[in-house]
Amino acid sequence: MDRQMYHYATVSKALQELAEKGYSTDFNLEEQRIVDHKDDFTIEHIYRYEGESDPGDEATVYGLKAISGEKGVYVSTPGAYNDHSAAAILNDLSIKGRS
């Protein structure tokens, strides 16, 4: 499946739309699962939000699908990145074009 990039006005709007598409799991609460089993996930949707006046408003919303069929979201912010974070793993996967 090709990943889709949407342009929503806000992160909350992106999360609402993805929830309506069945992305109900909050993978931020299960970050270690992504880190430990990155090959079990595909990135189906990516939304990048850049705050116009405040760099602190930057975020990336990922619509993820687990190998089990479970669908959910992961929201990363620039401060969430470290060498072994789910945010860094997902960012690398999106740059490499792996889904």
Side-chain angles (χ1 to χ4, degrees), residues 45-58:
H45 302 276
I46 299 174
Y47 168 69
R48 298 184 196 279
Y49 178 74
E50 296 181 14
E52 291 182 24
S53 61
D54 183 359
D57 289 340
E58 293 179 17

Side-chain angles (χ1 to χ4, degrees), residues 31-47:
E31 181 173 4
Q32 195 61 43
R33 184 172 156 202
I34 295 170
V35 172
D36 293 342
H37 304 284
K38 67 181 179 186
D39 293 331
D40 288 354
F41 293 91
T42 57
I43 300 170
E44 296 195 327
H45 302 276
I46 299 174
Y47 168 69

Side-chain angles (χ1 to χ4, degrees), residues 45-98:
H45 302 276
I46 299 174
Y47 168 69
R48 298 184 196 279
Y49 178 74
E50 296 181 14
E52 291 182 24
S53 61
D54 183 359
D57 289 340
E58 293 179 17
T60 303
V61 177
Y62 295 93
L64 303 174
K65 185 174 181 182
I67 199 167
S68 65
E70 177 183 19
K71 296 192 305 186
V73 295
Y74 182 86
V75 180
S76 69
T77 60
Y81 289 81
N82 67 50
D83 290 342
H84 303 291
S85 69
I89 289 168
L90 293 171
N91 185 58
D92 287 347
L93 290 176
S94 68
I95 289 171
K96 291 177 184 173
R98 238 180 108 194

